[in-house]
Amino acid sequence: MKKIITLILPISLLMIACSSPSTDTQTQSETAPETETTATEESTETTTETETMATEENTAMVALVSPEEEIPMGDAELILEVKDSTSGETVPVENIEVSSTMPMEGEEPMISKVEIEPTETPGQFKVKTNFGMAGTWNLAAKVKDTKYQGENEIVVEVK
């Protein structure tokens, strides 16, 4: 009897520890995207929905500049550019936040680490990340500047 209890107790604790938590939190992939940009095999960028959130008069959006060709799975280096939402001109902001997620059906989204550094061109940023799987990835970008505000999502297809 003692042996059965000593076997059942660790197994039940292991089952509880390995079970997925049930939470009602909202993930980044569930938030409403303001702007979607898709990079495809034909090296095109298309804006499918434009609705940028604004907290001040000057609103900005973030666009994928490079690579223009297919994005391969694995380590990737992207160039993002901050543009004025009304004029479309590049704006020299100093800081943006970017997160990289891949929606997973029936599971939490896959999250990839993102490193951001400004380029020599004002308003452009080099983003280093790792796309661990082929498929659709979402880059949620937020402009953090005193003059310009805005957020949008860039959707990329990784091959």
Side-chain angles (χ1 to χ4, degrees):
M1 182 76 163
K2 242 183 181 180
K3 290 182 181 181
I4 293 175
I5 293 175
T6 56
L7 287 173
I8 293 175
L9 185 61
I11 292 172
S12 61
L13 290 174
L14 182 62
M15 288 175 46
I16 292 170
C18 291
S19 66
S20 63
S22 174
T23 61
D24 292 329
T25 59
Q26 187 176 29
T27 62
Q28 289 177 346
S29 63
E30 295 170 340
T31 59
E34 289 77 32
T35 304
E36 283 186 34
T37 307
T38 305
T40 63
E41 291 179 24
E42 294 81 33
S43 304
T44 60
E45 292 181 24
T46 57
T47 302
T48 58
E49 182 181 331
T50 305
E51 184 183 325
T52 305
M53 297 173 83
T55 56
E56 290 186 12
E57 261 182 52
N58 297 324
T59 59
M61 61 179 238
V62 180
L64 178 66
V65 174
S66 169
E68 292 179 5
E69 68 277 354
E70 186 175 286
I71 300 174
M73 187 174 71
D75 290 334
E77 191 172 288
L78 312 170
I79 302 294
L80 301 180
E81 185 173 67
V82 180
K83 297 182 176 194
D84 185 285
S85 295
T86 54
S87 70
E89 298 200 15
T90 304
V91 291
V93 298
E94 293 185 19
N95 194 13
I96 63 171
E97 288 180 359
V98 178
S99 64
S100 176
T101 60
M102 179 183 200
M104 305 295 282
E105 195 170 315
E107 299 178 31
E108 292 292 317
M110 182 183 293
I111 299 171
S112 179
K113 181 182 174 186
V114 175
E115 294 177 14
I116 307 165
E117 60 184 63
T119 65
E120 292 180 9
T121 306
Q124 283 192 353
F125 296 86
K126 183 189 308 183
V127 175
K128 293 180 183 179
T129 190
N130 183 292
F131 296 119
M133 288 180 69
T136 303
W137 282 81
N138 301 324
L139 300 173
K142 184 174 185 177
V143 178
K144 309 274 289 187
D145 192 71
T146 55
K147 293 182 182 178
Y148 287 90
Q149 301 295 313
E151 333 180 6
N152 62 290
E153 190 169 272
I154 301 166
V155 178
V156 295
E157 285 299 320
V158 175
K159 304 293 178 190

